[in-house]
Amino acid sequence: MLVVATAGHVDHGKSTLVRALTGMEPDRWAEEHRRGMTIDLGFAWTALPSGRTVAFVDVPGHERFVSNMLAGVGPVPAAVMVVAADAGWMPQSAEHLAALDALGVGYGLLVVTRADLADPAEALAEARAELAATPLRDVEAVTVSAVTGAGLPQLRAALDRLADRMPAPAPDGAVRFWIDRCFTVRGSGTVVTGTLGAGRLRVGDELELAGSDEPVRIRGLHRLGVGCGEAVPVARVAVNLRGVARERIGRGDALLTPGRFRVTDVVDVRLTGVPVAELPLTLTLHIGSAAVPVRVRPLGADTARLRLGRALPLLVGDRAVLRDPGRRYVAGGVTVLDVVPPPLTRRGAAAARAAVLATLDGRPDAAGELRRRGLARVTDLVTAGVPVTVDPVAGDWLADPHHWQRLGDRLTRAVTEYARTNPLAPGAPVEHLRRQLDLPDRALVEALVRPPLRLAAGRVVAPGTASLPEPVARAVALVSEDFAAHPFRAPAADRLAAVGLGTREIGAAVRAGALLRLTGNVVLLPGAPQQAVRVLTGLPQPFTLSAARQALDTTRRVAVPLLELLDQRGLTRRLPDDARVVVD
Ligand SMILES: Nc1nc2c(ncn2[C@@H]2O[C@H](COP(=O)(O)OP(=O)(O)OP(=O)(O)O)[C@@H](O)[C@H]2O)c(=O)[nH]1
Ligand SMILES: [Mg+2]
């Protein structure tokens, strides 16, 4: 099925043309007939000479109803640009063309109507010139009169040729069905209509209503008014839904393949048509059949962050229209670059983000996404519209190869460091390493373990970690418990003797990195110097030996050699008056 939207200035003959081609009435409302103008979207269809069907989404041309027009053209892949021979190019001709340009619509026809009223040559030339700067520049042009019927056979043939040129739809893709109409049918319940652009719908299928957690089920399907069990794209479809009340659903909502989309209310975008700096800060974003208020935060010459008043199921590469509802004009086009952009909290983050956005073009790129994020879940990319072609590193986690390499190096260092400071432990706990490396999932730590590291009982073990003889290890474990409450109180001689730590045992423990010797048999745990520096940093600088001793809750016997060790390691500096400062 070929689905085309009409476009063009008020009274230029769009609805008359659709009526002449289809024999159906696109203006559905009494008020439309009374006022002689289209207010809301109209739908009509007919068979083309080839036998295939063309369905029209007929839009209003009046400037007051541009948002209805945008809901009509948003989900439709092709357009018929209508210009009256006796009027020529007019403001809403321009505004509708700007909207089609912003949406990237490149398929369609130019139709000069009312050719019985004036020579169409001038209007045709004018319209051609306007289309030249847009993706519609090469469309076929046809001149018609809906009153005399002249040109209608040529128009039908041109519609057939347009259908031949349209790109093949993706029946196996994900469904994002933008609803353009919603009503109740007695005995059936809620019915919604829209243009199915990709994916298939089947009676009995479960779908997601964007932004709601409740599933909805397809109770019945109609394709151009005829019941069917399945609809494939591209098609005009009416869907009878189970599980959703009429009041809860309407134009601008979307039915989705479950799990394939995520709604977002912040997106980073590239703008066309107007410099970012000249945009008002609040505008309306039109995408699919939806229209939501957005706040614009400029991030670069042609890039910005949009905050949406309502979350929508957007994908990287989506095209949309920005419009100023107050001044009633299409302000520009939008290409979505990122649907889960990072927060801009740190200083300089906005400038850094602008630099990243300058490199993006809205074409989904899994390698690039991973380069920027380091790690991502498969579903994060798929629901952003980025197809995944690489294998996960663990579970459903994907990693940038360089980032993964660096994480592997950091893991080795963290395991070695843990073994040094915890020589009595059989290895570094996976959870400890997960926190050290700031990873979101323990499975990632486990996947990073490569020989010579190995995984054993929830810990990562490094080779050649010095091990102590069992009795010494036990004795060190006992004094370690003493240190828990008072990390800077070295065990007294009688305590050392009681647990069996003589000079030789202490030597072994020091060599294995299980204890730190200050002098003789004055020992602390290996992490004590770093821990001391953290305490001393909290003192007014410089500080005296006595202040340090008190702060560390210890004796001169420990404080004097400990501070000397800190001096040696360059962690503190001794001043001429014997006071010290922490070196930062
Ligand atoms: N003589 C002549 N009149 C036409 C032709 N096409 C449309 N008209 C007349 O032009 C007027 C406007 O036509 P519509 O079809 O309502 O125009 P429209 O573009 O749908 O207008 P909106 O929906 O309000 O934007 C009507 O009075 C039509 O009868 C034509 O080919 N020849
Ligand atoms: Mg009309």
Side-chain angles (χ1 to χ4, degrees):
M1 185 190 301
L2 173 66
V3 181
V4 285
T6 58
H9 197 75
V10 64
D11 262 356
H12 278 209
K14 298 179 290 298
S15 303
T16 305
L17 181 65
V18 168
R19 210 177 287 124
L21 284 170
T22 66
M24 292 175 74
E25 177 54 67
D27 286 333
R28 297 174 287 131
W29 295 6
E31 189 185 351
E32 292 179 314
H33 292 280
R34 201 168 59 244
R35 292 170 66 177
M37 65 161 61
T38 304
I39 295 170
D40 201 2
L41 303 176
F43 308 95
W45 53 90
T46 189
L48 289 172
S50 64
R52 73 159 68 79
T53 308
V54 59
F56 292 94
V57 176
D58 184 37
V59 308
H62 195 281
E63 63 169 327
R64 276 193 43 213
F65 309 123
V66 171
S67 62
N68 286 344
M69 182 273 177
L70 292 170
V73 297
V76 174
V80 171
M81 188 75 214
V82 172
V83 183
D86 58 324
W89 198 254
M90 297 293 278
Q92 268 60 55
S93 318
E95 184 166 22
H96 288 193
L97 181 64
L100 295 171
D101 186 18
L103 293 169
V105 175
Y107 295 91
L109 297 175
L110 169 60
V111 179
V112 178
T113 53
R114 300 174 38 131
D116 54 299
L117 295 178
D119 180 351
E122 199 180 327
L124 179 61
E126 207 179 355
R128 269 266 173 245
E130 297 291 341
L131 263 55
T134 76
L136 291 171
R137 68 184 71 81
D138 295 324
V139 298
E140 277 190 60
V142 186
T143 301
V144 302
S145 164
V147 169
T148 67
L152 292 183
Q154 288 81 352
L155 177 53
R156 288 199 176 88
L159 285 165
D160 248 335
R161 286 191 294 275
L162 171 62
D164 288 335
R165 282 196 298 276
M166 296 295 295
D172 298 317
V175 171
R176 179 172 51 168
F177 183 76
W178 292 103
I179 294 167
D180 51 31
R181 209 152 57 99
C182 182
F183 48 92
T184 28
V185 172
R186 194 187 295 259
S188 297
T190 308
V191 175
V192 297
T193 69
T195 303
L196 180 66
R200 69 182 76 221
L201 296 173
R202 280 189 215 88
V203 172
D205 276 358
E206 191 172 286
L207 296 168
E208 244 171 55
L209 174 60
S212 114
D213 293 334
E214 293 155 56
V216 294
R217 203 172 278 285
I218 301 180
R219 187 170 164 182
L221 280 174
H222 279 76
R223 199 176 158 275
L224 301 183
V226 180
C228 56
E230 179 182 83
V232 292
V234 175
R236 284 294 308 170
V237 183
V239 188
N240 182 197
L241 295 173
R242 196 193 299 281
V244 56
R246 165 70 189 90
E247 322 66 76
R248 292 217 6 254
I249 194 164
R251 177 175 292 171
D253 284 326
L255 295 174
L256 309 171
T257 300
R260 294 292 297 273
F261 296 86
R262 138 195 35 220
V263 297
T264 176
D265 59 3
V266 191
V267 289
D268 284 353
V269 300
R270 169 155 296 116
L271 289 132
T272 50
V274 66
V276 172
E278 290 173 21
L279 279 180
L281 295 183
T282 53
L283 286 164
T284 302
L285 180 77
H286 297 262
I287 181 156
S289 58
V292 297
V294 291
R295 274 190 294 132
V296 182
R297 172 171 178 181
L299 285 176
D302 66 347
T303 52
R305 176 156 297 186
L306 303 183
R307 240 166 235 294
L308 281 57
R310 177 163 69 91
L312 294 176
L314 302 185
L315 300 175
V316 170
D318 272 345
R319 305 285 295 261
V321 175
L322 274 180
R323 188 161 187 274
D324 187 337
R327 294 168 55 194
R328 298 222 193 110
Y329 75 103
V330 165
V334 153
T335 303
V336 175
L337 302 177
D338 194 344
V339 293
V340 258
L344 302 175
T345 41
R346 282 178 300 105
R347 266 188 62 171
R353 186 62 187 164
V356 170
L357 294 179
T359 68
L360 304 183
D361 61 4
R363 254 179 302 190
D365 164 25
E369 284 293 327
L370 288 176
R371 217 161 34 243
R372 288 184 292 280
R373 298 165 185 232
L375 290 169
R377 284 183 185 275
V378 172
T379 49
D380 290 339
L381 296 197
V382 170
T383 58
V386 181
V388 172
T389 48
V390 292
D391 289 331
V393 290
D396 71 341
W397 287 101
L398 303 166
D400 170 62
H402 287 105
H403 184 64
W404 193 241
Q405 178 73 43
R406 282 195 298 277
L407 284 173
D409 296 346
R410 282 179 58 204
L411 182 80
T412 303
R413 285 201 296 278
V415 171
T416 311
E417 175 62 17
Y418 188 89
R420 205 176 63 73
T421 47
N422 302 271
L424 301 175
V430 168
E431 175 58 20
H432 167 85
L433 295 168
R434 186 194 68 73
R435 274 187 269 120
Q436 285 277 299
L437 271 62
D438 199 17
L439 292 174
D441 190 334
R442 282 211 285 271
L444 290 166
V445 176
E446 289 166 6
L448 280 168
V449 175
R450 295 278 149 69
L453 298 183
R454 66 195 163 79
L455 197 62
R459 291 172 183 259
V460 182
V461 186
T465 311
S467 60
L468 282 173
E470 183 54 28
V472 182
R474 225 174 314 118
V476 172
L478 285 172
V479 296
S480 296
E481 283 168 24
D482 302 349
F483 284 120
H486 302 285
F488 306 106
R489 288 205 197 153
D494 57 345
R495 174 69 177 152
L496 289 174
V499 299
L501 282 179
T503 308
R504 254 186 15 180
E505 285 79 4
I506 289 176
V510 169
R511 272 193 306 283
L515 290 175
L516 171 75
R517 174 184 268 134
L518 292 178
T519 62
N521 283 356
V522 179
V523 291
L524 296 177
L525 287 181
Q530 281 74 27
Q531 217 178 337
V533 169
R534 281 199 292 276
V535 173
L536 298 174
T537 305
L539 291 178
Q541 309 284 319
F543 54 84
T544 62
L545 173 64
S546 157
R549 185 186 61 67
Q550 282 177 35
L552 296 171
D553 183 29
T554 187
T555 57
R556 282 182 65 90
R557 170 175 162 265
V558 170
V560 170
L562 177 57
L563 289 172
E564 278 167 5
L565 180 70
L566 298 183
D567 293 343
Q568 264 172 37
R569 291 193 181 176
L571 299 169
T572 53
R573 192 155 46 82
R574 191 166 172 172
L575 305 177
D577 64 353
D578 273 0
R580 282 182 168 83
V581 287
V582 172
V583 177
D584 54 31

mmCIF file of all heavy atoms in Angstrom, residues 369-402:
data_model
loop_
_atom_site.group_PDB
_atom_site.id
_atom_site.type_symbol
_atom_site.label_atom_id
_atom_site.label_comp_id
_atom_site.label_asym_id
_atom_site.label_seq_id
_atom_site.Cartn_x
_atom_site.Cartn_y
_atom_site.Cartn_z
ATOM 1 N N GLU A 369 28.917 4.506 19.891
ATOM 2 C CA GLU A 369 28.209 4.579 21.172
ATOM 3 C C GLU A 369 29.061 3.965 22.276
ATOM 4 O O GLU A 369 29.163 4.508 23.376
ATOM 5 C CB GLU A 369 26.883 3.806 21.102
ATOM 6 C CG GLU A 369 25.767 4.497 20.342
ATOM 7 C CD GLU A 369 25.278 5.766 21.026
ATOM 8 O OE1 GLU A 369 25.286 5.821 22.259
ATOM 9 O OE2 GLU A 369 24.916 6.702 20.301
ATOM 10 N N LEU A 370 29.668 2.812 21.974
ATOM 11 C CA LEU A 370 30.478 2.136 23.002
ATOM 12 C C LEU A 370 31.728 2.935 23.310
ATOM 13 O O LEU A 370 32.173 3.001 24.452
ATOM 14 C CB LEU A 370 30.844 0.722 22.542
ATOM 15 C CG LEU A 370 29.680 -0.259 22.544
ATOM 16 C CD1 LEU A 370 30.096 -1.606 21.989
ATOM 17 C CD2 LEU A 370 29.151 -0.437 23.975
ATOM 18 N N ARG A 371 32.302 3.575 22.279
ATOM 19 C CA ARG A 371 33.489 4.396 22.517
ATOM 20 C C ARG A 371 33.141 5.503 23.512
ATOM 21 O O ARG A 371 33.910 5.819 24.401
ATOM 22 C CB ARG A 371 33.968 4.998 21.197
ATOM 23 C CG ARG A 371 35.460 5.075 21.100
ATOM 24 C CD ARG A 371 35.971 5.235 19.686
ATOM 25 N NE ARG A 371 35.121 6.013 18.807
ATOM 26 C CZ ARG A 371 34.529 5.526 17.725
ATOM 27 N NH1 ARG A 371 34.680 4.259 17.407
ATOM 28 N NH2 ARG A 371 33.771 6.295 16.969
ATOM 29 N N ARG A 372 31.960 6.078 23.351
ATOM 30 C CA ARG A 372 31.576 7.187 24.237
ATOM 31 C C ARG A 372 31.155 6.708 25.620
ATOM 32 O O ARG A 372 31.410 7.356 26.609
ATOM 33 C CB ARG A 372 30.435 7.992 23.600
ATOM 34 C CG ARG A 372 30.899 8.831 22.416
ATOM 35 C CD ARG A 372 29.781 9.685 21.875
ATOM 36 N NE ARG A 372 28.729 8.912 21.249
ATOM 37 C CZ ARG A 372 28.783 8.416 20.032
ATOM 38 N NH1 ARG A 372 29.849 8.630 19.292
ATOM 39 N NH2 ARG A 372 27.795 7.722 19.528
ATOM 40 N N ARG A 373 30.496 5.546 25.701
ATOM 41 C CA ARG A 373 29.963 5.108 26.993
ATOM 42 C C ARG A 373 30.899 4.153 27.729
ATOM 43 O O ARG A 373 30.748 3.969 28.926
ATOM 44 C CB ARG A 373 28.645 4.358 26.792
ATOM 45 C CG ARG A 373 27.534 5.165 26.177
ATOM 46 C CD ARG A 373 26.459 4.188 25.728
ATOM 47 N NE ARG A 373 25.376 4.842 25.021
ATOM 48 C CZ ARG A 373 24.105 4.682 25.354
ATOM 49 N NH1 ARG A 373 23.777 3.944 26.377
ATOM 50 N NH2 ARG A 373 23.169 5.263 24.654
ATOM 51 N N GLY A 374 31.823 3.513 27.003
ATOM 52 C CA GLY A 374 32.674 2.501 27.639
ATOM 53 C C GLY A 374 31.945 1.176 27.733
ATOM 54 O O GLY A 374 32.309 0.207 27.078
ATOM 55 N N LEU A 375 30.862 1.166 28.509
ATOM 56 C CA LEU A 375 30.062 -0.047 28.686
ATOM 57 C C LEU A 375 28.606 0.280 28.395
ATOM 58 O O LEU A 375 28.159 1.403 28.648
ATOM 59 C CB LEU A 375 30.133 -0.523 30.134
ATOM 60 C CG LEU A 375 31.443 -1.108 30.637
ATOM 61 C CD1 LEU A 375 31.382 -1.253 32.154
ATOM 62 C CD2 LEU A 375 31.722 -2.454 29.993
ATOM 63 N N ALA A 376 27.869 -0.675 27.880
ATOM 64 C CA ALA A 376 26.428 -0.469 27.683
ATOM 65 C C ALA A 376 25.759 -1.827 27.620
ATOM 66 O O ALA A 376 26.379 -2.821 27.245
ATOM 67 C CB ALA A 376 26.173 0.303 26.383
ATOM 68 N N ARG A 377 24.490 -1.856 28.013
ATOM 69 C CA ARG A 377 23.733 -3.092 27.859
ATOM 70 C C ARG A 377 23.208 -3.176 26.433
ATOM 71 O O ARG A 377 22.937 -2.142 25.803
ATOM 72 C CB ARG A 377 22.537 -3.100 28.804
ATOM 73 C CG ARG A 377 22.901 -3.390 30.238
ATOM 74 C CD ARG A 377 21.611 -3.437 31.055
ATOM 75 N NE ARG A 377 21.886 -3.590 32.462
ATOM 76 C CZ ARG A 377 22.088 -4.767 33.056
ATOM 77 N NH1 ARG A 377 22.042 -5.884 32.359
ATOM 78 N NH2 ARG A 377 22.330 -4.826 34.334
ATOM 79 N N VAL A 378 23.046 -4.394 25.948
ATOM 80 C CA VAL A 378 22.496 -4.591 24.605
ATOM 81 C C VAL A 378 21.176 -3.829 24.482
ATOM 82 O O VAL A 378 20.935 -3.111 23.510
ATOM 83 C CB VAL A 378 22.275 -6.101 24.325
ATOM 84 C CG1 VAL A 378 21.536 -6.294 23.012
ATOM 85 C CG2 VAL A 378 23.608 -6.841 24.305
ATOM 86 N N THR A 379 20.332 -3.948 25.516
ATOM 87 C CA THR A 379 19.015 -3.303 25.437
ATOM 88 C C THR A 379 19.135 -1.773 25.413
ATOM 89 O O THR A 379 18.291 -1.113 24.820
ATOM 90 C CB THR A 379 18.119 -3.695 26.625
ATOM 91 O OG1 THR A 379 18.887 -3.520 27.813
ATOM 92 C CG2 THR A 379 17.653 -5.114 26.534
ATOM 93 N N ASP A 380 20.205 -1.231 26.057
ATOM 94 C CA ASP A 380 20.390 0.229 26.020
ATOM 95 C C ASP A 380 20.541 0.697 24.571
ATOM 96 O O ASP A 380 20.012 1.735 24.179
ATOM 97 C CB ASP A 380 21.653 0.652 26.780
ATOM 98 C CG ASP A 380 21.502 0.459 28.275
ATOM 99 O OD1 ASP A 380 20.354 0.386 28.732
ATOM 100 O OD2 ASP A 380 22.540 0.371 28.961
ATOM 101 N N LEU A 381 21.326 -0.066 23.802
ATOM 102 C CA LEU A 381 21.563 0.353 22.417
ATOM 103 C C LEU A 381 20.346 0.051 21.545
ATOM 104 O O LEU A 381 19.913 0.892 20.760
ATOM 105 C CB LEU A 381 22.810 -0.345 21.856
ATOM 106 C CG LEU A 381 24.134 -0.010 22.544
ATOM 107 C CD1 LEU A 381 25.314 -0.418 21.667
ATOM 108 C CD2 LEU A 381 24.257 1.471 22.852
ATOM 109 N N VAL A 382 19.795 -1.151 21.691
ATOM 110 C CA VAL A 382 18.658 -1.526 20.838
ATOM 111 C C VAL A 382 17.499 -0.562 21.043
ATOM 112 O O VAL A 382 16.886 -0.092 20.089
ATOM 113 C CB VAL A 382 18.231 -2.981 21.124
ATOM 114 C CG1 VAL A 382 16.910 -3.294 20.437
ATOM 115 C CG2 VAL A 382 19.312 -3.946 20.635
ATOM 116 N N THR A 383 17.219 -0.206 22.300
ATOM 117 C CA THR A 383 16.090 0.682 22.549
ATOM 118 C C THR A 383 16.407 2.127 22.187
ATOM 119 O O THR A 383 15.530 2.969 22.189
ATOM 120 C CB THR A 383 15.629 0.639 24.026
ATOM 121 O OG1 THR A 383 16.738 1.002 24.849
ATOM 122 C CG2 THR A 383 15.111 -0.726 24.403
ATOM 123 N N ALA A 384 17.685 2.405 21.865
ATOM 124 C CA ALA A 384 18.019 3.730 21.351
ATOM 125 C C ALA A 384 17.992 3.726 19.827
ATOM 126 O O ALA A 384 18.267 4.735 19.194
ATOM 127 C CB ALA A 384 19.403 4.152 21.851
ATOM 128 N N GLY A 385 17.695 2.554 19.239
ATOM 129 C CA GLY A 385 17.656 2.461 17.782
ATOM 130 C C GLY A 385 19.013 2.168 17.167
ATOM 131 O O GLY A 385 19.217 2.395 15.986
ATOM 132 N N VAL A 386 19.933 1.656 17.981
ATOM 133 C CA VAL A 386 21.277 1.358 17.479
ATOM 134 C C VAL A 386 21.426 -0.160 17.363
ATOM 135 O O VAL A 386 21.470 -0.855 18.384
ATOM 136 C CB VAL A 386 22.361 1.914 18.439
ATOM 137 C CG1 VAL A 386 23.750 1.623 17.910
ATOM 138 C CG2 VAL A 386 22.153 3.408 18.654
ATOM 139 N N PRO A 387 21.497 -0.686 16.130
ATOM 140 C CA PRO A 387 21.615 -2.140 15.981
ATOM 141 C C PRO A 387 22.954 -2.635 16.541
ATOM 142 O O PRO A 387 23.977 -1.974 16.382
ATOM 143 C CB PRO A 387 21.570 -2.354 14.460
ATOM 144 C CG PRO A 387 21.178 -1.052 13.867
ATOM 145 C CD PRO A 387 21.504 0.016 14.857
ATOM 146 N N VAL A 388 22.913 -3.793 17.203
ATOM 147 C CA VAL A 388 24.119 -4.330 17.840
ATOM 148 C C VAL A 388 24.666 -5.476 16.992
ATOM 149 O O VAL A 388 23.946 -6.409 16.684
ATOM 150 C CB VAL A 388 23.780 -4.832 19.254
ATOM 151 C CG1 VAL A 388 24.967 -5.558 19.859
ATOM 152 C CG2 VAL A 388 23.356 -3.664 20.126
ATOM 153 N N THR A 389 25.952 -5.378 16.630
ATOM 154 C CA THR A 389 26.544 -6.418 15.796
ATOM 155 C C THR A 389 27.693 -7.131 16.505
ATOM 156 O O THR A 389 28.186 -8.130 16.011
ATOM 157 C CB THR A 389 27.071 -5.810 14.484
ATOM 158 O OG1 THR A 389 27.845 -4.652 14.817
ATOM 159 C CG2 THR A 389 25.947 -5.408 13.563
ATOM 160 N N VAL A 390 28.114 -6.601 17.675
ATOM 161 C CA VAL A 390 29.227 -7.242 18.377
ATOM 162 C C VAL A 390 28.699 -8.119 19.515
ATOM 163 O O VAL A 390 27.558 -7.955 19.952
ATOM 164 C CB VAL A 390 30.217 -6.198 18.953
ATOM 165 C CG1 VAL A 390 30.945 -5.489 17.838
ATOM 166 C CG2 VAL A 390 29.501 -5.209 19.850
ATOM 167 N N ASP A 391 29.551 -9.058 19.975
ATOM 168 C CA ASP A 391 29.140 -9.971 21.047
ATOM 169 C C ASP A 391 29.315 -9.300 22.401
ATOM 170 O O ASP A 391 30.253 -8.535 22.602
ATOM 171 C CB ASP A 391 29.992 -11.240 21.009
ATOM 172 C CG ASP A 391 29.639 -12.083 19.800
ATOM 173 O OD1 ASP A 391 28.476 -12.017 19.367
ATOM 174 O OD2 ASP A 391 30.538 -12.769 19.284
ATOM 175 N N PRO A 392 28.438 -9.624 23.347
ATOM 176 C CA PRO A 392 28.604 -9.100 24.708
ATOM 177 C C PRO A 392 29.884 -9.643 25.354
ATOM 178 O O PRO A 392 30.355 -10.721 24.995
ATOM 179 C CB PRO A 392 27.374 -9.627 25.443
ATOM 180 C CG PRO A 392 26.437 -10.083 24.406
ATOM 181 C CD PRO A 392 27.241 -10.463 23.210
ATOM 182 N N VAL A 393 30.437 -8.884 26.319
ATOM 183 C CA VAL A 393 31.600 -9.370 27.066
ATOM 184 C C VAL A 393 31.157 -10.199 28.264
ATOM 185 O O VAL A 393 31.892 -11.054 28.746
ATOM 186 C CB VAL A 393 32.506 -8.203 27.533
ATOM 187 C CG1 VAL A 393 33.207 -7.562 26.354
ATOM 188 C CG2 VAL A 393 31.735 -7.178 28.345
ATOM 189 N N ALA A 394 29.958 -9.933 28.752
ATOM 190 C CA ALA A 394 29.409 -10.696 29.869
ATOM 191 C C ALA A 394 27.920 -10.434 29.903
ATOM 192 O O ALA A 394 27.502 -9.287 29.764
ATOM 193 C CB ALA A 394 30.029 -10.240 31.186
ATOM 194 N N GLY A 395 27.123 -11.481 30.106
ATOM 195 C CA GLY A 395 25.669 -11.295 30.158
ATOM 196 C C GLY A 395 25.215 -10.521 28.933
ATOM 197 O O GLY A 395 25.528 -10.903 27.805
ATOM 198 N N ASP A 396 24.486 -9.417 29.152
ATOM 199 C CA ASP A 396 24.101 -8.604 27.995
ATOM 200 C C ASP A 396 24.906 -7.297 27.962
ATOM 201 O O ASP A 396 24.452 -6.290 27.429
ATOM 202 C CB ASP A 396 22.589 -8.352 27.976
ATOM 203 C CG ASP A 396 22.148 -7.399 29.066
ATOM 204 O OD1 ASP A 396 22.910 -7.225 30.038
ATOM 205 O OD2 ASP A 396 21.052 -6.827 28.956
ATOM 206 N N TRP A 397 26.115 -7.349 28.538
ATOM 207 C CA TRP A 397 26.963 -6.157 28.552
ATOM 208 C C TRP A 397 27.873 -6.112 27.331
ATOM 209 O O TRP A 397 28.537 -7.094 26.989
ATOM 210 C CB TRP A 397 27.837 -6.140 29.807
ATOM 211 C CG TRP A 397 27.073 -5.819 31.040
ATOM 212 C CD1 TRP A 397 26.624 -6.690 31.983
ATOM 213 C CD2 TRP A 397 26.654 -4.516 31.455
ATOM 214 N NE1 TRP A 397 25.940 -6.013 32.966
ATOM 215 C CE2 TRP A 397 25.950 -4.683 32.664
ATOM 216 C CE3 TRP A 397 26.817 -3.237 30.910
ATOM 217 C CZ2 TRP A 397 25.397 -3.608 33.347
ATOM 218 C CZ3 TRP A 397 26.268 -2.172 31.594
ATOM 219 C CH2 TRP A 397 25.560 -2.365 32.794
ATOM 220 N N LEU A 398 27.913 -4.940 26.725
ATOM 221 C CA LEU A 398 28.830 -4.692 25.616
ATOM 222 C C LEU A 398 29.907 -3.743 26.108
ATOM 223 O O LEU A 398 29.654 -2.902 26.960
ATOM 224 C CB LEU A 398 28.092 -4.026 24.448
ATOM 225 C CG LEU A 398 26.888 -4.790 23.895
ATOM 226 C CD1 LEU A 398 26.061 -3.878 23.003
ATOM 227 C CD2 LEU A 398 27.371 -6.002 23.114
ATOM 228 N N ALA A 399 31.127 -3.874 25.552
ATOM 229 C CA ALA A 399 32.212 -2.994 25.990
ATOM 230 C C ALA A 399 32.992 -2.491 24.790
ATOM 231 O O ALA A 399 33.138 -3.201 23.786
ATOM 232 C CB ALA A 399 33.144 -3.740 26.936
ATOM 233 N N ASP A 400 33.472 -1.272 24.911
ATOM 234 C CA ASP A 400 34.417 -0.758 23.932
ATOM 235 C C ASP A 400 35.730 -1.510 24.132
ATOM 236 O O ASP A 400 36.204 -1.622 25.272
ATOM 237 C CB ASP A 400 34.617 0.740 24.175
ATOM 238 C CG ASP A 400 35.756 1.279 23.346
ATOM 239 O OD1 ASP A 400 35.673 1.222 22.114
ATOM 240 O OD2 ASP A 400 36.750 1.746 23.947
ATOM 241 N N PRO A 401 36.365 -2.026 23.063
ATOM 242 C CA PRO A 401 37.564 -2.861 23.240
ATOM 243 C C PRO A 401 38.676 -2.164 24.027
ATOM 244 O O PRO A 401 39.302 -2.787 24.881
ATOM 245 C CB PRO A 401 38.015 -3.138 21.805
ATOM 246 C CG PRO A 401 36.812 -2.913 20.965
ATOM 247 C CD PRO A 401 35.945 -1.922 21.671
ATOM 248 N N HIS A 402 38.919 -0.870 23.765
ATOM 249 C CA HIS A 402 40.001 -0.194 24.495
ATOM 250 C C HIS A 402 39.662 -0.023 25.968
ATOM 251 O O HIS A 402 40.496 -0.219 26.837
ATOM 252 C CB HIS A 402 40.284 1.180 23.869
ATOM 253 C CG HIS A 402 40.979 1.055 22.555
ATOM 254 N ND1 HIS A 402 40.340 1.256 21.359
ATOM 255 C CD2 HIS A 402 42.247 0.707 22.260
ATOM 256 C CE1 HIS A 402 41.181 1.031 20.378
ATOM 257 N NE2 HIS A 402 42.354 0.704 20.898
#
